[in-house]
Amino acid sequence: MDELMRQVDELYERAVFNGEYDGLPDADRALDAVEARLLLQRGRILHCRFLESRVEPPDELAYFERAADLFRGVGDERGEAEAQFWIGCFHQVVRDDNPTAVPFLTNAADLSRKTGDQLTLSYALRHLGIAAHMAGDYVEARELLEESTALRRTLNFTPGVAANLVGLVYLAIAQDRPEDARRLADEAAELAASVGAVPIIDQIEGARSRISG
């Protein structure tokens, strides 16, 4: 973003002092890219506030939608993938609306694969796995969560791995695989404790209480 702002400064000075106005469209595109990133970050912070309060932030979805439009306008498919993911996440997590969420999550996964953004892909696959689990498609849910988990291991995204393992624990419970559930819970607890991920530790304990046998 600093580089983009330096570019805008340079184009401004060329226009004002040299009369080179043909660079102003480039300045607009640079500013759109900066605005898109800022809106995405504002939306993410609002999402954190939702997780704390469970009250829908009035501007969260609008920020993500505007970011997606701006990223698309400047041809930033990697940024667009992130915004598409967050739109899908909003519908799934905030509004509990998987039918609306899944197309956005799918678009995010497709764009992430295209641009090589493994982190955003891991998020999209995780939430597609959650949607499949809620729809009762346990096989698809497990495949998606395992692919997401493999990516997160590669990225050394330890809290993300632990969070995914919680989802896999619940899938093992749903498929009556108590030994697998206990093994996954143990690994998740070890990973979460290693990075101080207290909310995930609480989720693990909740999952353990559901394991039979």
Side-chain angles (χ1 to χ4, degrees):
M1 290 182 64
D2 288 345
E3 178 58 34
L4 287 169
M5 293 309 296
R6 281 192 291 271
Q7 179 184 348
V8 172
D9 284 341
E10 181 180 344
L11 291 169
Y12 161 80
E13 290 183 1
R14 287 181 182 178
V16 170
F17 298 112
N18 300 344
E20 297 177 12
Y21 300 109
D22 58 341
L24 294 180
D26 290 336
D28 288 334
R29 283 190 290 273
L31 289 170
D32 284 347
V34 171
E35 183 182 355
R37 182 58 55 184
L38 178 61
L39 287 167
L40 191 66
Q41 297 294 62
R42 286 192 182 279
R44 291 173 65 193
I45 294 302
L46 286 180
H47 190 75
C48 293
R49 292 201 168 100
F50 166 78
L51 295 177
E52 180 183 29
S53 68
R54 294 294 163 176
V55 176
E56 178 179 325
D59 295 324
E60 181 180 344
L61 180 59
Y63 286 158
F64 293 142
E65 290 176 334
R66 175 62 176 158
D69 288 342
L70 289 169
F71 280 128
R72 191 179 304 113
V74 299
D76 184 347
E77 291 185 320
R78 190 183 184 100
E80 185 183 352
E82 289 184 72
Q84 290 279 326
F85 163 73
W86 280 106
I87 294 169
C89 183
F90 174 88
H91 285 293
Q92 183 183 68
V93 177
V94 178
R95 292 190 175 169
D96 195 24
D97 183 358
N98 277 311
T100 300
V102 165
F104 291 105
L105 297 172
T106 301
N107 288 341
D110 291 343
L111 285 170
S112 297
R113 289 190 194 278
K114 181 179 178 181
T115 60
D117 184 353
Q118 293 187 323
L119 181 59
T120 298
L121 178 58
S122 82
Y123 273 102
L125 293 172
R126 166 181 165 78
H127 284 262
L128 286 168
I130 291 170
H133 187 170
M134 295 176 71
D137 190 343
Y138 299 145
V139 173
E140 178 74 4
R142 185 177 179 184
E143 290 177 354
L144 289 163
L145 280 172
E146 286 181 344
E147 184 180 357
S148 174
T149 303
L151 287 169
R152 290 179 169 194
R153 290 187 194 278
T154 299
L155 296 166
N156 293 317
F157 182 20
T158 300
V161 173
N164 277 5
L165 292 177
V166 175
L168 288 167
V169 169
Y170 279 108
L171 278 169
I173 293 169
Q175 294 177 301
D176 195 25
R177 295 184 287 110
E179 289 303 317
D180 286 344
R182 277 188 281 272
R183 174 181 57 79
L184 290 163
D186 289 344
E187 183 184 2
E190 182 179 350
L191 291 173
S194 73
V195 292
V198 174
I200 296 174
I201 293 172
D202 292 341
Q203 293 171 20
I204 295 163
E205 293 310 306
R208 282 190 196 277
S209 69
R210 304 281 297 276
I211 302 173
S212 61

